[in-house]
Amino acid sequence: MMVQERALPKSVNPKPHTRTAALAATKSLDFSAWVSDNLVRIVAVVLLVVTVAALFFLRNVGDTAALLCFEKQAQELERIVYPRVDWNAIAPIADKTSKFANFRTEKWIVVSVLGYPSDSLRRLVKLKGWQVVAVGGSKTPSDWSLKGAIFLSLEEQANLGFRVVDYLPYDSYVRKSVGYLFAIQHGAKKIFDADDRGEVIDDDLGKHFDVELVGEGARQEVLLQYSHDNPNRTVVNPYVHFGQRSVWPRGLPLENVGEIGHEEFYTQVFGGKQFIQQGISNGLPDVDSVFYFTRKSTLEAFDVRFDEHAPKVALPQGVMVPVNSFNTMYHSPAFWALMLPVSVSTMASDVLRGYWGQRLLWEVGGYVAVYPPTVHRYDRIEAYPFSEEKDLHVNVGRLINYLVLWRSDKHRLFEKILDLSFAMAEEGFWTEKDVKLTAAWLQDLLAVGYQQPRLMSLELGRPRPNIGHGDRKEFVPQKLPSVHLGVEETGTVNYEIANLIRWRKTFGNVVLIMHCNGPVERTALEWRLLYGRIFRSVVILSEKKDVDLVVEEGHLDYAYRYLPKIFDQFSSAEGFLFVQDNTILNYWNLLQADKTKLWITNKVSESWSSVITNGDSADWLSQQASMVQKVVSTMPAHFQVSYKETSDNEKNLLLCSSEVFYVPQRLVSDFVELVSLVGNLEIHQKVAIPMFFVSLDSPQNFDPVLDTMIYKQNPTANSSTLYSAKVPAVHPWSITSEQDFIKLIRIMAEGDPLLMELV
């Protein structure tokens, strides 16, 4: 008890004149005692004040070195700490508190519950051979009960002794992590990750899922596998394979939504290592809020159906697919991949887990497979807000690319898992809280008796064998009735999709650079919609930058100066195709072009010409020719020799309108070097591009693909008689509004009938 809290003895009754002295003595004693008891705090406060004063002093006197030292220490305090785990000193955790301590079974279903048992959950508990564990939260009724299910209340979860409990929010489905550990602790070999609104079709999980991978009940079969033929493809939309090309799963990067074509061909893989099996859901499939809120014309519930006869399909290393937490089968070699992160938005947690888990699954030789409809989920017409998906639409595309490139030199799986979680926190995909959760999760797994799988050699980064015709397997998906922008789709497979796949395969790693003279606020999105289906990316330049439309500033007269930056941004691209918005590309007629050569209109007389200047310094052409000669004189020998083979007269000036040209990757560095030689000289685009091209290579080596393009100087504006679907390009064509774009799409549909779906 502190001095000031002590009471005077009842027998003492001091006189008034002595009470003041006694009170003063007491106060003096109180202060000294307070100082004694709080000496450490006083010293800490004094040090803090001195430190702050020193910081202000150092800023004012300009002692930069000392100030940086303080700031560096502050940054170190914010650094993410790599958890240190002694993997050999983890004590076992046994179930000593629940009434199921001695219960063991191999097949488990894990769900989270907020309200009272749903009808779907009542059906789940009746699945023969499966045990349901329901994980409660702070909003779960205290009297929750369902015959046949094991219910873990918050209190029971806390008593289990798992480390992960310290990191889990009280009112979220991510508390399922406790249920996973409970199931593993009680003998689980298979875990079906489910929710309480899905009904298993025909009440049989084994109808489509491969519940047994080894032993007598295992199906010894070969699975179709997505092709790895395109090294730039890192994610696929599995709904296309199962007959719904206009629907996309939650977690698919929005930039990939337009990839609606089915596979040109598949490969095959032996079954037995599909340790994560993602099921498709009929009714309300797993879709994001963008789809949910933009694909409805009424308040009717979604009832989307997938092809139940389509074969299951596996994913090769390097290609991923969204994985959710309500219709997925996990086998024991992938139990470590069940951890749900806690520092990201609610609807991003299981998706990020899925991508994280897929990448690590490759380390043990496993893979993900997607299965025909396994459950039916009912649309309650109460979608979640877009804000709960913010971590998906901002980061998921970047995360996939990061994971495919990620490598670790750790020698055990759990060390690699922790390594990746730490790396993802450093990259901002989640926070340090999930790094700590990962360390706790892995320790809990070992504590409940889980044996981490052995590492296998990684196929990524190694040369892949060419896919021969004998290894190619064909499957053409059905085109089932669906909902697309509120309009039902009917009919059978549209075989024009095969052409779209072929075009995408050809130009899927070519970047289209478009310069827009027209109003980008009316046309930028339309151009991306048209060409983004074919090319890897569509970069738009305009005289004025527009951040909202992702339009970069680039003056047409000197557009070549902006190309090196774009080349560097897409350093792995196969090539770069430049086009002005007054020229239309018939991409289906560019397939035969050699993407390792230069393309330009050097054989189109209206576009390419050679003039002899008069040497008059006041003449624009003469000025341009003079600057060209300055650049040529500074060129390395191989450029200069090549240039002079085409133009050996100093007064000769090559001109090209340069509405369309192509630079292959092999010549990108040379192109950049030539741009740097121009420096600040005001050489016009129409002069610089032909100078660059004949310096890079002899015109006889240019690919002739553009030789047959339609090129008119002063035609009737947008005349239908000017356009032809049988040539590689058409010039000129003016697009200044959405109406102009719709007219263009309709006439281009002669070469690409699928374009009609855009209007």
Side-chain angles (χ1 to χ4, degrees):
M1 183 179 292
M2 295 182 65
V3 174
Q4 62 263 36
E5 293 176 342
R6 291 179 183 167
L8 291 172
K10 292 182 180 182
S11 58
V12 178
N13 186 19
K15 296 178 182 181
H17 68 279
T18 62
R19 188 182 302 275
T20 302
L23 183 59
T26 302
K27 285 184 177 180
S28 176
L29 183 59
D30 291 350
F31 178 74
S32 60
W34 180 84
V35 171
S36 177
D37 290 345
N38 295 277
L39 182 60
V40 175
R41 297 176 184 173
I42 293 172
V43 172
V45 172
V46 170
L47 287 175
L48 179 61
V49 172
V50 171
T51 301
V52 173
L55 281 172
F56 279 106
F57 173 74
L58 290 172
R59 282 190 184 273
N60 291 330
V61 300
D63 190 346
T64 307
L67 180 60
L68 289 176
C69 182
F70 276 106
E71 291 179 347
K72 183 179 180 181
Q73 291 177 353
Q75 291 174 357
E76 288 177 351
L77 291 175
E78 297 177 359
R79 286 179 181 171
I80 300 171
V81 178
Y82 195 100
R84 301 299 175 189
V85 179
D86 186 350
W87 303 105
N88 298 317
I90 298 173
I93 297 177
D95 182 2
K96 299 179 181 178
T97 58
S98 78
K99 57 184 178 181
F100 304 101
N102 296 319
F103 177 74
R104 295 287 185 279
T105 190
E106 291 189 354
K107 295 187 289 189
W108 289 76
I109 299 174
V110 179
V111 298
S112 65
V113 291
L114 295 179
Y116 287 106
S118 63
D119 292 338
S120 298
L121 185 56
R122 295 181 188 279
R123 288 184 61 175
L124 271 182
V125 298
K126 295 179 180 179
L127 295 184
K128 187 177 180 181
W130 291 85
Q131 175 60 54
V132 172
V133 55
V135 183
S138 59
K139 297 180 181 179
T140 309
S142 57
D143 59 343
W144 196 98
S145 178
L146 177 62
K147 184 179 179 181
I150 296 175
F151 175 60
L152 299 178
S153 65
L154 284 177
E155 182 180 0
E156 289 174 312
Q157 294 171 45
N159 291 334
L160 291 173
F162 298 144
R163 298 169 179 82
V164 297
V165 174
D166 295 337
Y167 303 96
L168 304 178
Y170 289 105
D171 60 348
S172 172
Y173 78 94
V174 301
R175 297 197 70 85
K176 291 173 77 173
S177 293
V178 177
Y180 306 142
L181 288 169
F182 183 88
I184 296 168
Q185 185 183 49
H186 291 80
K189 300 297 181 186
K190 301 100 182 173
I191 293 178
F192 179 54
D193 204 7
D195 71 356
D196 63 350
R197 63 192 293 186
E199 295 182 358
V200 176
I201 296 175
D202 296 332
D203 296 321
D204 182 9
L205 282 173
K207 180 176 181 179
H208 288 301
F209 280 129
D210 289 315
V211 176
E212 303 296 336
L213 294 181
V214 295
E216 295 181 0
R219 301 170 183 162
Q220 301 296 329
E221 58 184 344
V222 175
L223 279 67
L224 277 188
Q225 180 177 253
Y226 282 102
S227 166
H228 60 258
D229 192 48
N230 180 0
N232 300 296
R233 181 174 67 169
T234 56
V235 65
V236 296
N237 177 0
Y239 291 172
V240 175
H241 177 85
F242 293 96
Q244 292 289 0
R245 63 180 187 151
S246 65
V247 188
W248 66 87
R250 177 173 54 95
L252 185 76
L254 292 181
E255 58 264 32
N256 296 100
V257 166
E259 298 172 3
I260 61 173
H262 68 78
E263 293 290 280
E264 182 179 358
F265 62 88
Y266 295 80
T267 57
Q268 290 183 315
V269 64
F270 288 110
K273 292 191 175 181
Q274 58 270 39
F275 300 141
I276 299 178
Q277 303 171 12
Q278 177 62 64
I280 297 291
S281 303
N282 277 338
L284 175 63
D286 184 22
V287 294
D288 59 25
S289 58
V290 175
F291 181 92
Y292 194 90
F293 288 117
T294 61
R295 294 309 193 262
K296 279 197 170 187
S297 56
T298 66
L299 291 178
E300 291 183 11
F302 271 127
D303 188 13
V304 181
R305 301 302 174 106
F306 293 87
D307 181 8
E308 64 178 11
H309 301 294
K312 56 197 170 190
V313 58
L315 282 298
Q317 290 189 16
V319 183
M320 295 187 174
V321 69
V323 172
N324 60 48
S325 61
F326 56 75
N327 184 18
T328 314
M329 183 75 66
Y330 282 79
H331 285 261
S332 58
F335 279 172
W336 46 266
L338 282 161
M339 183 197 81
L340 288 162
V342 296
S343 66
V344 296
S345 52
T346 307
M347 301 311 296
S349 180
D350 57 343
V351 173
L352 265 62
R353 173 189 76 170
Y355 287 127
W356 169 82
Q358 284 177 78
R359 172 59 188 86
L360 291 162
L361 192 62
W362 302 339
E363 300 286 346
V364 296
Y367 55 85
V368 173
V370 187
Y371 287 69
T374 50
V375 303
H376 187 103
R377 297 176 76 236
Y378 293 95
D379 183 7
R380 298 171 181 168
I381 318 180
E382 47 185 34
Y384 40 82
F386 182 84
S387 60
E388 293 187 14
E389 294 180 346
K390 64 180 186 295
D391 293 305
L392 284 183
H393 304 305
V394 172
N395 277 330
V396 70
R398 185 171 69 92
L399 172 63
I400 294 169
N401 293 329
Y402 176 79
L403 291 173
V404 172
L405 296 174
W406 176 81
R407 301 291 185 274
S408 173
D409 58 1
K410 301 297 183 181
H411 300 294
R412 292 195 294 183
L413 176 63
F414 279 18
E415 292 173 350
K416 284 182 180 284
I417 294 174
L418 190 57
D419 212 31
L420 179 55
S421 290
F422 179 79
M424 286 175 59
E426 286 194 316
E427 291 292 326
F429 297 115
W430 56 36
T431 72
E432 185 178 14
K433 188 173 183 180
D434 280 315
V435 181
K436 295 178 179 178
L437 173 66
T438 304
W441 166 258
L442 296 175
Q443 291 178 82
D444 283 340
L445 283 174
L446 294 175
V448 298
Y450 182 73
Q451 299 292 322
Q452 58 178 310
R454 290 184 176 182
L455 295 175
M456 304 287 285
S457 60
L458 196 64
E459 295 178 9
L460 285 181
R462 295 191 299 179
R464 295 191 176 186
N466 293 327
I467 302 173
H469 289 288
D471 298 322
R472 301 184 179 195
K473 303 299 176 183
E474 291 188 0
F475 169 73
V476 179
Q478 293 191 45
K479 184 183 176 186
L480 300 175
S482 179
V483 177
H484 181 68
L485 294 173
V487 180
E488 289 191 358
E489 294 179 341
T490 58
T492 58
V493 175
N494 188 341
Y495 286 95
E496 284 85 0
I497 294 177
N499 284 330
L500 185 59
I501 294 173
R502 192 154 47 95
W503 302 331
R504 179 72 184 183
K505 180 181 178 182
T506 302
F507 299 112
N509 196 25
V510 172
V511 174
L512 182 70
I513 304 170
M514 170 171 274
H515 190 283
C516 288
N517 272 325
V520 292
E521 67 277 5
R522 300 178 190 172
T523 60
L525 294 178
E526 282 77 5
W527 287 123
R528 286 199 174 96
L529 188 62
L530 171 60
Y531 292 129
R533 303 155 56 248
I534 308 299
F535 296 94
R536 171 175 172 176
S537 184
V538 178
V539 179
I540 296 181
L541 301 175
S542 183
E543 300 298 316
K544 194 173 182 180
K545 184 173 184 177
D546 191 316
V547 176
D548 295 333
L549 294 174
V550 197
V551 173
E552 298 295 328
E553 182 179 4
H555 302 295
L556 180 58
D557 290 351
Y558 308 101
Y560 61 89
R561 293 178 176 173
Y562 305 92
L563 300 186
K565 180 180 177 182
I566 299 172
F567 293 165
D568 184 62
Q569 182 182 356
F570 297 93
S571 58
S572 63
E574 193 173 2
F576 298 85
L577 182 58
F578 179 92
V579 66
Q580 293 181 35
D581 65 345
N582 61 0
T583 302
I584 304 304
L585 286 177
N586 290 338
Y587 40 82
W588 52 88
N589 292 323
L590 299 175
L591 297 179
Q592 73 275 19
D594 188 339
K595 288 179 290 181
T596 66
K597 292 184 176 183
L598 293 165
W599 314 348
I600 199 166
T601 53
N602 61 306
K603 294 294 181 66
V604 180
S605 58
E606 295 88 346
S607 173
W608 182 287
S609 62
S610 175
V611 298
I612 301 296
T613 60
N614 58 19
D616 184 355
S617 61
D619 178 62
W620 183 84
L621 290 175
S622 296
Q623 292 173 356
Q624 291 289 311
S626 176
M627 288 187 285
V628 167
Q629 291 308 314
K630 286 182 181 179
V631 174
V632 172
S633 67
T634 63
M635 286 181 180
H638 59 288
F639 291 146
Q640 197 170 133
V641 169
S642 180
Y643 176 84
K644 291 183 177 180
E645 284 180 353
T646 303
S647 179
D648 56 355
N649 187 337
E650 292 186 359
K651 293 185 178 182
N652 184 52
L653 183 65
L654 294 176
L655 294 173
C656 179
S657 55
S658 305
E659 287 91 1
V660 55
F661 58 85
Y662 172 83
V663 181
Q665 178 60 243
R666 71 180 183 88
L667 295 176
V668 160
S669 60
D670 290 342
F671 189 99
V672 172
E673 184 178 355
L674 290 171
V675 173
S676 69
L677 292 178
V678 172
N680 294 324
L681 294 176
E682 295 186 354
I683 300 181
H684 197 277
Q685 169 95 346
K686 294 181 179 181
V687 176
I689 294 301
M691 176 184 69
F692 293 161
F693 268 57
V694 298
S695 300
L696 291 169
D697 203 354
S698 171
Q700 64 184 13
N701 295 327
F702 295 172
D703 191 284
V705 65
L706 297 175
D707 292 357
T708 57
M709 74 172 286
I710 292 176
Y711 195 104
K712 301 294 182 182
Q713 293 288 358
N714 298 301
T716 304
N718 292 3
S719 171
S720 58
T721 59
L722 173 68
Y723 181 83
S724 170
K726 298 179 180 180
V727 297
V730 177
H731 172 87
W733 200 275
S734 176
I735 300 292
T736 60
S737 66
E738 186 176 352
Q739 288 70 30
D740 290 340
F741 183 77
I742 292 174
K743 292 177 182 177
L744 172 65
I745 290 299
R746 285 174 176 162
I747 64 170
M748 288 183 69
E750 180 184 348
D752 181 1
L754 285 179
L755 285 174
M756 290 304 295
E757 296 198 0
L758 301 180
V759 298

